[in-house]
Amino acid sequence: MDLDAYSAAHRADWDRLAQVARQRHLDGAEADELIELYQSGATQLSAMKTTVGESVPATRLSLALSRARLRFTGAPSNPLEQVTRFFALQLPAALYRIRWATLAVAFATVAIAAAYAVWVANDPAVFASLGPEATLRRYAEQEFVAYYSNNSEAAFAGQVWTNNAWIAAQCIMFGIVGVWVPYVIFSNAQGLGITAAIMDHYDRLDHFFLYIAPHGQLELYAIFLAAAAGLLIFWSWVAPGGRTRAQALAEDGRAFFTIVVGTALALLISGVIEGYVTRQDWPWAIKIGIGTVALLAVVGYQWGVGRRAVRAGETGDLTEFESGSREIVSA
């Protein structure tokens, strides 16, 4: 290919492509012309790169084609606008949609934990099966409290945050299988109930509630949120309603997966409280009050901001431009 001759033969079209692509407003004829120039320009660019490789004319044509492509697809949203929309609309809408499932998970956790606590505390044989008496006594009288101060504040906060955030992410990621979330709920509730029974046996039940209350309110609620999201992702393909199962799973999966971000942030806050507040020699009313304020802030965001977002038509899913057009189905 004679690049100079090829460029001279098509330069008028390339200049026109660049000119139309820069125009702020296009009428119907100009839009059609832009599409035709774009198609021919893309073919010519491919021919130049195949035969000559990188060159100045090819680079200039590539820039003009990029500008033209933006006219078809639209410029990407401002990142700040995307972040604002996510936290003001998408995330709270998704959280609001799982509000009742969250309360159901919370009720199930408390019921299972209470049942285990009563069972273990009132059955000597079951209690004895937990381990040697000396080990259980040492756990109740020393290790339970020492757990909160064995490491530095930052290291402990980071440790509990990453562990809990991973559990929450698993609930949402594997919620579709239907059995993972019930397993996590049962395991966590069982652990809480057994721990409460051990502490009660050695007259340390007050320590159990006092040391868990500052961070545990928000920590447990974040796990409840993640579990509820996972359950509803599973339910979306079990009972899709008027949508196809593929549509329901895609829409609810995208919407509820945003809750991973919300639970990670909530667990970060609870981790900071657990690492920096629980161990402090402050009045318990202050430490528990800090945890309560954090919980109320998240609940208010879910129920208050979320309610407004849903009323505005948000579902937590991506916009149609971001997710692609949806297939129309009969109800």
Side-chain angles (χ1 to χ4, degrees):
M1 173 186 288
D2 185 336
L3 182 60
D4 292 335
Y6 192 80
S7 299
H10 297 288
R11 183 169 290 113
D13 289 339
W14 297 348
D15 291 342
R16 178 58 179 166
L17 171 66
Q19 177 187 356
V20 178
R22 283 195 298 265
Q23 288 183 208
R24 187 177 297 273
H25 301 289
L26 299 176
D27 57 26
E30 289 171 332
D32 291 340
E33 181 185 12
L34 181 61
I35 293 174
E36 293 176 1
L37 290 170
Y38 176 85
Q39 291 173 336
S40 60
T43 301
Q44 292 152 8
L45 177 63
S46 176
M48 284 192 291
K49 286 192 172 183
T50 301
T51 57
V52 181
E54 295 296 334
S55 62
V56 173
T59 301
R60 290 176 176 170
L61 177 57
S62 179
L63 179 60
L65 290 170
S66 297
R67 288 174 176 165
R69 190 181 306 114
L70 285 176
R71 301 305 302 271
F72 306 143
T73 62
S77 302
N78 185 300
L80 183 59
E81 293 179 358
Q82 291 179 321
V83 171
T84 301
R85 182 177 183 277
F86 177 81
F87 285 104
L89 296 172
Q90 286 179 289
L91 178 58
L95 289 171
Y96 186 73
R97 290 177 59 195
I98 66 169
R99 63 195 185 283
W100 299 118
T102 304
L103 295 182
V105 171
F107 177 81
T109 300
V110 172
I112 295 171
Y116 260 92
V118 172
W119 178 41
V120 174
N122 291 279
D123 192 325
V126 174
F127 187 86
S129 69
L130 298 177
E133 197 277 339
T135 301
L136 297 178
R137 179 178 292 275
R138 184 170 63 253
Y139 174 78
E141 296 180 351
Q142 300 175 27
E143 294 177 358
F144 182 83
V145 174
Y147 166 77
Y148 295 96
S149 56
N150 283 337
N151 298 303
S152 68
E153 289 92 338
F156 185 62
Q159 175 187 343
V160 297
W161 174 57
T162 53
N163 178 66
N164 291 328
W166 175 233
I167 293 174
Q170 286 181 24
C171 285
I172 298 176
M173 288 188 297
F174 303 141
I176 189 173
V177 301
V179 296
W180 183 257
V181 171
Y183 168 76
V184 171
I185 294 171
F186 183 83
S187 298
N188 284 347
Q190 181 187 46
L192 286 171
I194 292 175
T195 301
I198 295 172
M199 299 297 288
D200 179 60
H201 185 82
Y202 295 101
D203 297 324
R204 293 290 192 278
L205 189 60
D206 57 337
H207 286 67
F208 172 78
F209 288 110
L210 288 174
Y211 276 86
I212 285 182
H215 65 276
Q217 299 177 72
L218 182 55
E219 181 182 292
L220 288 172
Y221 195 75
I223 298 299
F224 298 159
L225 290 172
L231 287 174
L232 290 184
I233 290 175
F234 168 71
W235 193 249
S236 67
W237 67 267
V238 173
R243 303 171 293 179
T244 66
R245 282 187 168 82
Q247 280 182 309
L249 187 58
E251 293 172 6
D252 291 343
R254 287 191 303 260
F256 296 144
F257 208 82
T258 62
I259 295 174
V260 170
V261 177
T263 55
L265 293 175
L267 288 168
L268 176 61
I269 297 171
S270 73
V272 170
I273 295 173
E274 188 170 1
Y276 289 87
V277 175
T278 302
R279 68 176 67 197
Q280 300 301 325
D281 189 21
W282 299 342
W284 283 108
I286 293 177
K287 293 192 285 187
I288 295 175
I290 291 173
T292 302
V293 169
L295 172 64
L296 292 177
V298 172
V299 172
Y301 179 75
Q302 178 188 19
W303 289 74
V305 180
R307 183 168 180 263
R308 288 197 296 271
V310 169
R311 282 189 166 185
E314 286 290 331
T315 64
D317 193 7
L318 301 174
T319 63
E320 186 172 352
F321 178 79
E322 295 168 328
S323 62
S325 20
R326 294 162 171 75
E327 179 183 358
I328 300 176
V329 295
S330 58

